């Protein structure tokens, strides 16, 4: 997708602050962090939103969570706790339409989210 900023990060056209990369996923620091640790984990293949996931993507979705687990360990937030969030659609707060798992930690989290 030529107009997708996250695809540009994968292609190298943009250079995020990468914290983890595998053959299937890329994890980088959010440009507008909402917590001391705020990392986005994205698939290297463009998928617009959760609504576009197919059964064949199940393994890839698992890879996003395994990457989140590794990021949390690297960042030293795995023991204290962290939150993973994937927004779907504008009303839920999705602003970049390439699926991404937020990994937030380093502070206490509120529930329910606003
Ligand atoms: P969402 O609102 O759930 O779609 O999350 C999109 C996230 O992408 C937001 O937290 C933004 O701060 C983040 N973001 C947007 N542009 C960039 C960028 N160039 N580099 C890193 N994070 C970005």
């Amino acid at each position: 997708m030529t107009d997708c900023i996250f695809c540009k990060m994968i292609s190298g056209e943009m250079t995020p602050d990468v914290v983890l990369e595998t053959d299937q996923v890329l994890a980088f620091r959010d440009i507008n962090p909402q917590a001391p640790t705020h990392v986005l984990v994205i698939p290297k293949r463009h998928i617009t939103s959760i609504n576009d996931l197919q059964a064949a993507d199940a393994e890839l979705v698992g890879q996003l969570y395994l990457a989140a687990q590794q990021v949390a360990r690297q960042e030293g937030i795995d023991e204290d706790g962290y939150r993973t969030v994937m927004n779907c659609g504008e009303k839920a707060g999705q602003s970049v339409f390439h699926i991404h798992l937020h990994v937030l930690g380093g502070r206490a989290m509120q529930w329910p989210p606003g």
Side-chain angles (χ1 to χ4, degrees):
M1 288 268 298
T2 50
D3 59 346
C4 170
I5 59 166
F6 287 177
C7 284
K8 287 179 181 165
M9 292 175 180
I10 292 152
S11 69
E13 203 177 323
M14 289 176 74
T15 52
D17 185 358
V18 172
V19 298
L20 179 74
E21 180 167 13
T22 72
D23 58 333
Q24 294 187 73
V25 308
L26 186 69
F28 53 89
R29 295 193 193 283
D30 195 293
I31 202 168
N32 182 24
Q34 301 302 310
T37 291
H38 188 174
V39 170
L40 303 175
V41 184
I42 69 172
K44 289 187 172 176
R45 181 160 53 82
H46 183 90
I47 299 171
T48 301
S49 83
I50 293 174
N51 287 340
D52 300 289
L53 286 168
Q54 309 286 321
D57 298 322
E59 200 264 340
L60 180 58
V61 173
Q63 293 297 326
L64 296 178
Y65 279 91
L66 289 171
Q69 178 196 65
Q70 195 173 330
V71 166
R73 272 199 212 115
Q74 281 177 208
E75 296 288 315
I77 56 171
D78 54 326
E79 294 296 329
D80 280 352
Y82 55 96
R83 182 166 293 173
T84 57
V85 177
M86 189 180 287
N87 296 319
C88 180
E90 280 175 24
K91 248 187 185 168
Q94 186 176 6
S95 61
V96 177
F97 287 83
H98 177 134
I99 60 168
H100 48 280
L101 191 59
H102 295 259
V103 182
L104 298 137
R107 67 166 170 83
M109 301 285 159
Q110 306 301 313
W111 191 262

